[in-house]
Amino acid sequence: MTPPDIEFIGMIGTQDSSETRPGQGPLIDPAYTVRFARAHEDAGFDRVLIGYSSGRPDGTQVAAHVAARTERLGLLVAHRPGFVAPTLAARTFATLDQFTEGRVAVHTISGGNDTEQRRDGDYLGKDERYERTDEYLGILRRAWSSTEPFSHSGAHYRFEDYAPAVLPHRESGIPLYFGGSSEAAYRVGGTHADVFALWGEPLAETAEQIAAVRAAAEAAGRSTPPRISVSFRPILGPTEDAAWERAHRILETIQSGVGSPFFDQVRQQRVGASDAGPQNAGSQRLLAAAARKDLHDRALWTPTATASGAGGNTTALVGTPETVARALLDYVDIGVTTLLIRGYDPLDDAVDYGRHLLPLVRQELAHRATATASASVTAGSAR
């Protein structure tokens, strides 16, 4: 990872598509998927997120395809508890982790939209989904660490004498990432997550959420709270004017609805005139920030969230690479340890981030680490 342990995560898909471009080629394009993943590896990303929805290709198989054709790139596989037994999920991810020699992490999403959940046959309400996730993650942890058979009898799962023969590559297990912005999410993620993932809100609101996650972790008896991830859609330009011109072109394209059918479906669901608004707290928070004003802090721009219905990490950071790098570092300064960034021109933006953005952030972090070490040596000599 980047000093001081700052992680960069990108996001890949199996088709060249986004909110601003219709899908090119088949839904599963093996060659494009590999090219997309290698672009992130070459750009210096630590991991790539492989998303989940009822209409997407299976993430574990996408991860296996990518892992066999990359060398070091970490794979963050999004996963919804409830559709397979936790013991099966534990074996599935542990098997993949063994074959990739420890490159796997799991991003847990309890599900924030009843309609989307029901497409896969899940009719539990939001609170019940979080209760199920709490139980599910406890089983995963035990299945990845136990060397003896164990049984479980809970509200949602029951089994006897499960023998966890397939364990993760590392003794520390498989990292669990967790997304959400509700009180229930703070409670469950604060209990189980290694990394708690937030969408890109203004700095003050992000700091409030970090405090809520840490308080939940403390209430769960944890001495070390989860690390914090925040997600953005950087829009870069060689000058400030060029970056803002590009940002407004992107916004107009999103509003026109010419993006891929998947993203346009999400947009129509979220921003239709008769729609009561998104059910999940994360989208509600993004739309609330956008309603207050368009531009927050140094470079956080919210109209893209409104235009797309905030159906994911949809807030942008706009400016030159130097401006956006400073904006990312503002979040590091309040406690963020993972930066998830993806573009509206997905593959090309990943290349540009590697050339122009990641090096600036890494350079400043390395400079800070050197300055801190020098200050410590000076202080020690003074004694």
Side-chain angles (χ1 to χ4, degrees), residues 52 63 68 158 196 234 254 285 340 344 363 367 369:
Y52 184 106
R158 179 182 178 185
F196 196 104
I254 296 172
R285 292 178 66 99
L340 195 160
Y344 288 102
Q363 180 180 347
H367 172 74

Side-chain angles (χ1 to χ4, degrees), residues 77-81 106-110 133 137 140 176-179:
V77 184
H79 179 65
R80 282 185 190 164
V106 176
H107 180 57
T108 309
I109 308 167
S110 293
T133 297
L137 294 181
L140 278 188
L176 283 177
Y177 292 60
F178 189 96

Side-chain angles (χ1 to χ4, degrees), residues 199-213:
W199 288 338
E201 296 185 33
L203 286 163
E205 285 83 349
T206 302
E208 291 172 358
Q209 290 211 77
I210 293 173
V213 171

